[in-house]
Amino acid sequence: MLVAYLIVVSGGNWVLLAIYMTVLALITTACTFLVPETLRRDLTRLDDAVRVSRDEAGEGVSSTTVTIRTVEW
């Protein structure tokens, strides 16, 4: 529906749709490089799900476990 809307708004021109698809592709590519690797991790365990590898550790980040705060409802 969004594609049909973009085509109608642009008067039948496909350039607006191409720009939209390009932006989505750039966001997807950026996310691929920014998310941490989860290979061989048990993501059901909280301490394993948030572990940071030595390659991912940066300034101010420990290479063991990132501390997260839990909120109880």
Side-chain angles (χ1 to χ4, degrees):
M1 290 183 61
L2 181 60
V3 170
Y5 175 75
L6 289 174
I7 290 175
V8 168
V9 168
S10 65
N13 194 351
W14 56 269
V15 175
L16 188 59
L17 179 61
I19 292 170
Y20 173 70
M21 296 297 288
T22 303
V23 168
L24 290 180
L26 290 173
I27 291 171
T28 302
T29 303
C31 289
T32 303
F33 291 106
L34 295 176
V35 296
E37 178 60 57
T38 58
L39 181 67
R40 294 187 187 95
R41 289 188 188 171
D42 183 7
L43 299 180
T44 58
R45 290 182 37 211
L46 185 60
D47 61 330
D48 202 18
V50 296
R51 185 182 314 144
V52 177
S53 71
R54 288 190 185 126
D55 295 336
E56 298 167 338
E59 185 176 323
V61 178
S62 171
S63 64
T64 55
T65 303
V66 176
T67 304
I68 61 172
R69 188 173 46 169
T70 58
V71 177
E72 294 185 29
W73 297 92

